Each structure stands twice: as structure tokens, then as C-alpha cells.
């Protein structure tokens, strides 16, 4: 395949940045999107140019490190991570525009790499169980209905990639935060602290400057793990209930 | 900060205010429509005039109408606050965006749709509410009791084709606002359930089509009757 890439290049956080065009030839449709970028970077390195910086780690769709806004969609045209996106999703002769996640809470570090530590700070504010829950309990020692277990598991599949923020017109982090609140609120070990957790995590999310939710559903439609909007409704319930019932004021 | 203002100042709390005021406005639309439909009863405006007079003199209705003004204002002010906040969260947009792949147009256009509704409301209030309250209103007499001839004011306004067109277009705008807003309010309140959400979505869509369509039908019928 022959391709034209329009890639966002930005030297450092304060640089204005801009698009740069590159042409690539001989790309196999079996390559992953990141392998295609590896080819580009090899070309650039051989020429002595600065390679394009982009985030990646596991390259198997489980770590949440890869990002990229590809042709107007986070992680490109298929609902998966960029590392699991393959060049067969594109046609020979295509022009592909690659941009970084855009959100004031995800400042650009360099080129396509953004700083997602705001997510880490939200988790640190309450996305954990404070007491040691011990080893693996015997199966069925704590009865948990299958539907609840499944729902908690679905919420727990969030890999913290930030595609929800990137897709949302408000750069809202509701889908991520609600998945993290839900996975713990649904299970006995996490339930104990669910009220305070909802309050603390929402407060941190707001402090980080993420947008509000207009319920457009763009986040869920673009989420590589298909995290459901019902998580956001649960977060709203938990937060309002917490605010009405906790004794701190 | 007290816990109430802390909650209402959070992004979730601001949306709670949008949802609660929005639901109130939805209920108001139903009552308002029921009243307006009397305009097209074939009795030269008698039932409408009697209804309008009863509403205007009922103290409970007066309280609700003040609340209604307050809630419209609150809804519009919080719309502005949220829109500003959301713009600050995404100061730089994308060069290429395929938003239509992941969300509906109306859900992405609530701000502009709401602003158009606000403009309509101002024109609407100037033309009817202000006119009735402070303008010269003719008097009619039914069975020896005199009433303000509200019907005459309305039917005179609907002889202006531009006003009719403006009204009909505005109801189209309202339809799109409700097409997203109705079900969105439930989600904001935390109501999302596999059993009920599909029904709420269908109900919202039906409401968004039927209610504005009936509102729009009234000036069309009155225009045709008058010409
Ligand atoms: C009869 C008039 C109106 C009705 C029935 C109505 C109803 C609603 C409802 C039910 C929602 C959904 C709330 C939620 O998502 O929780 C909503 C959202 C919204 N409304 Fe209205 N509205 C009306 C007028 C207006 C006006 C006059 C404005 C603006 C000046 C406005 C601006 C907005 C905006 C911007 C949103 C989306 C807020 C967000 O989610 O970010 N609306 N409306
Ligand atoms: S909710 Fe989905 S899109 Fe958002 S961070 Fe988690 S996995 Fe990524
Ligand atoms: S690199 Fe780990 S999910 Fe893509």
C-alpha cells in the first residue's frame, strides 16, 4: 500500500506545533497501525530526522498506553485500540491524519504523546479498597449474583486509555471515572467505601479540569472496551446519594 | 463551602440542575399545549378565552408561572456555564473529526438549539405575555361576564405569514432539543436500566415529534382559517 500521512509534530509542550506530510510505500495490509508508524520512524531515523513520538507498550490491546486520533476518530475507524488496528482498515492511496488526544487535562508532551497522569491522580483519590482483602476466598464463600459479577467485570475491563476523553466534545472523563467507581461499588469488598469514593473521585476529576457530560454517548461508541453508559448513570446515583447521606459537610 | 453548594457546583451537580429544570419545562410544555389546543376549537375562541382568564386569576397558576420563568432562566444560565466549562476542557479541536460516527447531531448541538429556543421564547413572550399584561386587550362578553379577548390577539398574530413560519421553524428546533434532551435527563438523574431505558428513549422520541408538531399545527390552522 502507498499512503500519505499528515502527522501532528510538536517539539515540546510550549511549541505551537503543526501538521507534517509524509509519504510511505510498500506498507503491508497485515501490519498493525503502530508497525506502519515504526516503518515511518525507521525512514526518518535513517535520514537523521527526529522520529515521530507516540505512546505504546503491550501492543496487544490490554495496557491502554497507545492513543492517536486517526482520521477523526480515537484509535481510528474500528472500535479497538490503535495497536490492534490493522492497515487492512485502510485503502491504497489513502491520506491518514494523525492527531494527539485533545484535552486541556491531557497536555501534549511531544508530537503525539500526551500526559495522562490526570487519570492516575483520579485513581489515587479513591479508586482503591483501603484494607487488605486477603488472599483469594473460596468460591461462593461470598455470594455474588452472576449479573453483578459480570457487570463489575465489564466495568473493570477499562484500560484507562483516554479514548473516551478524546472522543467527547467536552473532553469529559465521565466514562473512565464511572467505570472505576462501578467496578468497586458493585462488589462486596469495594461497596463499604463506595460513597466517599464517588465524592473524592468526582472532586478530583473536576479539579483536573475535565468537561461535564452531555450524554452524547460518543465515549462509549469509541471505547475500545465498549464500556457502557449505564456506568455513568451509576456514578451519578452514587455521587448524589453520597452527597445526601455522608455525614461530612 | 456547604455540602449543597459543593454538590451543585460539581460538573455532576450542574447537570442535575439542567435535568431537573429540563424535566419541569417538559411538563410545562404538556400543560401549555393542552391550553393552546383550545385555540382551534370551533367556538370562536370562547373556551380559550375562559381558560386564559381562569389561568391568569388562579394564584397557584401564578406561582407556577413565576417558577417557570425562574427555571427557564436557570436552565439557560447553567447551559451557558456548562458550555463555557466544556469549551475550556477542549480548547483546541481536531483538524479532522468524524463525530457523526459516534453521536447524534442533536446531542452535539444542544447549546445552539437551546439558544434558538431562547430567542423564540423572547419573541413569544413579547408578542403574547407582554401584550396581554401591558398592552390594550379587547374585551368580549359571554353570558354577561366579560373576558379579555386573548383569542383575538393570538389570531391576529397568526395572520402574519412570517410569524407563522418563525413559529413552525422554532418548533422544529424544539423537536431536536427534546429528541436528545428527554432521555438525556433520565440518564443524568441516574436512571439507566436495561428494562426501562429503551422505553424512555422511544417515549422521548415520540414526545419530541408529537408535542412540537401539535404546537406548530395551531398557527398553521389559524392562518388558513383567517385567510
Ligand atoms: C421549553 C424549553 C426547553 C426544554 C423543554 C428543555 C429541555 C432540556 C432537557 C430535558 C435537557 C436535558 C438535560 C440533561 O441532559 O440532563 C436539556 C439540555 C440542554 N438545554 Fe434545554 N430545554 C429548553 C430550553 C432551553 C434553552 C432556552 C436553552 C439555552 C439557552 C437550553 C439549553 C440547553 C443545553 C445547552 C442543554 C445541554 C446541556 C449539557 O448537557 O451540556 N435549553 N434541555
Ligand atoms: S472507558 Fe474506555 S475509552 Fe475510556 S479510558 Fe476506559 S477503556 Fe479507554
Ligand atoms: S499498546 Fe497496550 S493497548 Fe495498545
Amino acid at each position: 500500500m502507498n499512503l500519505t500521512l499528515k502527522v501532528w509534530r510538536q517539539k515540546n509542550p510550549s511549541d505551537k506545533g503543526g501538521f507534517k506530510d509524509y509519504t510511505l510505500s510498500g506498507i503491508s495490509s497485515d501490519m498493525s497501525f503502530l508497525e506502519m508508524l515504526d516503518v515511518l520512524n525507521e525512514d526518518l531515523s535513517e535520514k537523521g530526522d527526529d522520529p515521530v513520538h507516540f505512546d505504546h507498550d503491550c501492543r496487544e490491546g490490554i495496557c491502554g498506553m497507545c492513543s492517536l486520533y486517526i482520521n477523526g476518530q480515537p484509535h481510528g475507524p474500528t472500535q479497538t485500540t490503535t495497536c490492534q488496528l490493522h492497515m487492512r482498515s485502510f485503502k491504497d492511496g489513502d491520506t491518514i491524519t494523525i492527531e494527539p488526544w485533545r484535552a486541556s487535562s491531557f497536555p501534549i508532551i511531544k508530537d503525539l504523546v500526551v500526559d495522562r497522569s490526570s487519570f492516575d491522580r483520579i485513581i489515587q483519590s479513591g479508586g482503591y479498597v483501603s484494607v487488605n482483602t486477603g488472599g483469594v476466598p473460596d468460591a461462593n464463600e461470598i455470594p455474588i449474583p452472576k449479573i453483578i459479577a459480570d457487570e463489575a467485570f465489564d466495568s473493570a475491563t477499562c484500560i484507562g486509555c483516554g479514548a473516551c476523553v478524546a472522543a467527547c466534545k467536552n473532553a469529559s472523563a465521565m466514562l473512565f471515572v464511572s467505570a472505576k467507581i462501578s467496578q468497586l461499588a458493585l462488589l462486596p469488598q469495594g461497596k463499604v467505601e463506595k460513597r466517599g469514593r464517588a465524592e473524592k473521585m468526582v472532586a478530583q476529576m473536576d479539579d483536573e479540569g475535565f468537561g461535564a457530560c452531555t450524554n452524547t454517548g460518543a465515549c462509549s461508541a469509541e471505547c475500545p472496551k465498549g464500556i457502557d453508559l449505564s456506568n455513568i448513570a451509576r456514578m451519578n446515583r452514587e455521587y448524589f446519594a453520597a452527597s445526601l447521606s455522608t455525614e461530612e459537610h | 463551602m456547604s455540602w449543597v453548594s459543593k454538590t451543585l457546583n460539581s460538573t455532576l451537580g450542574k447537570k442535575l440542575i439542567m435535568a431537573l429544570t429540563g424535566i419541569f419545562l417538559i411538563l410545562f410544555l404538556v400543560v401549555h399545549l393542552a391550553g393552546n389546543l383550545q385555540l382551534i376549537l370551533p367556538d370562536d375562541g370562547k373556551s380559550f378565552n375562559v381558560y386564559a382568564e381562569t389561568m391568569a386569576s388562579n394564584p397557584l397558576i401564578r406561582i407556577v408561572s413565576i417558577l417557570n420563568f425562574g427555571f427557564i432562566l436557570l436552565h439557560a444560565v447553567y447551559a451557558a456555564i456548562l458550555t463555557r466549562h466544556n469549551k475550556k476542557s477542549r480548547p483546541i479541536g481536531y483538524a479532522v473529526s468524524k463525530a457523526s460516527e459516534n453521536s447524534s447531531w442533536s446531542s452535539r448541538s444542544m447549546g445552539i438549539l437551546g439558544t434558538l429556543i431562547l430567542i423564540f421564547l423572547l419573541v413569544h413572550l413579547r408578542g403574547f405575555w407582554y401584550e396581554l399584561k401591558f398592552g390594550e386587550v379587547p374585551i368580549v362578553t359571554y353570558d354577561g361576564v366579560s373576558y379579555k379577548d386573548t383569542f383575538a390577539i393570538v389570531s391576529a398574530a397568526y395572520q402574519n405569514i412570517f410569524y407563522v413560519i418563525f413559529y413552525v421553524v422554532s418548533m422544529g428546533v424544539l423537536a431536536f432539543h427534546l429528541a436528545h434532551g428527554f432521555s438525556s435527563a433520565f440518564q443524568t438523574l441516574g436512571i439507566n436500566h436495561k428494562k426501562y431505558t429503551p422505553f424512555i428513549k422511544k417515549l422521548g422520541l415520540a414526545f419530541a415529534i408529537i408535542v412540537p408538531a401539535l404546537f406548530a399545527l395551531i398557527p398553521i390552522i389559524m392562518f388558513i382559517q383567517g385567510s
Side-chain angles (χ1 to χ4, degrees), chain B residues 5 10 35 49 51 67-68 73 93 100 128 136 159 168 184 207:
Chain B
S5 60
S10 68
N49 279 337
Y51 158 80
L67 272 182
N68 195 38
L73 202 68
S100 57
F128 296 130
E136 293 228 344
Q159 290 321 300
V168 172
S184 175
F207 188 94

Side-chain angles (χ1 to χ4, degrees), chain A residues 157-187:
Chain A
T157 58
C158 164
I159 51 177
C161 63
C164 43
V165 175
C168 176
K169 74 178 181 66
N170 308 336
S172 170
M174 302 281 174
L175 196 65
F176 165 75
V177 178
S178 68
K180 298 302 176 192
I181 286 177
S182 291
Q183 64 174 13
L184 296 174
L186 284 164
L187 296 177

Side-chain angles (χ1 to χ4, degrees), chain B residues 69 121-137 148 150 153-154 163:
Chain B
F69 280 121
L121 284 174
L122 292 175
V123 174
H124 183 67
L125 288 173
R126 172 67 189 85
F128 296 130
W129 178 79
Y130 179 87
E131 220 39 59
L132 286 167
K133 203 127 189 149
F134 305 109
E136 293 228 344
V137 186
K148 282 186 176 182
T150 312
I153 304 260
V154 178
Y163 196 83

Side-chain angles (χ1 to χ4, degrees), chain A residues 124-195:
Chain A
Q124 283 158 14
S125 73
Y128 49 80
V129 172
S130 319
V131 291
N132 195 336
T133 55
V136 183
D138 280 347
N140 299 329
E141 193 186 341
I142 310 169
I144 300 167
K146 171 97 166 74
I147 336 167
I148 301 292
D150 285 351
E151 232 175 308
F153 186 81
D154 283 348
S155 305
T157 58
C158 164
I159 51 177
C161 63
C164 43
V165 175
C168 176
K169 74 178 181 66
N170 308 336
S172 170
M174 302 281 174
L175 196 65
F176 165 75
V177 178
S178 68
K180 298 302 176 192
I181 286 177
S182 291
Q183 64 174 13
L184 296 174
L186 284 164
L187 296 177
Q189 294 87 342
K191 222 173 217 162
V192 185
E193 294 170 284
K194 66 177 188 167
R195 294 278 145 88

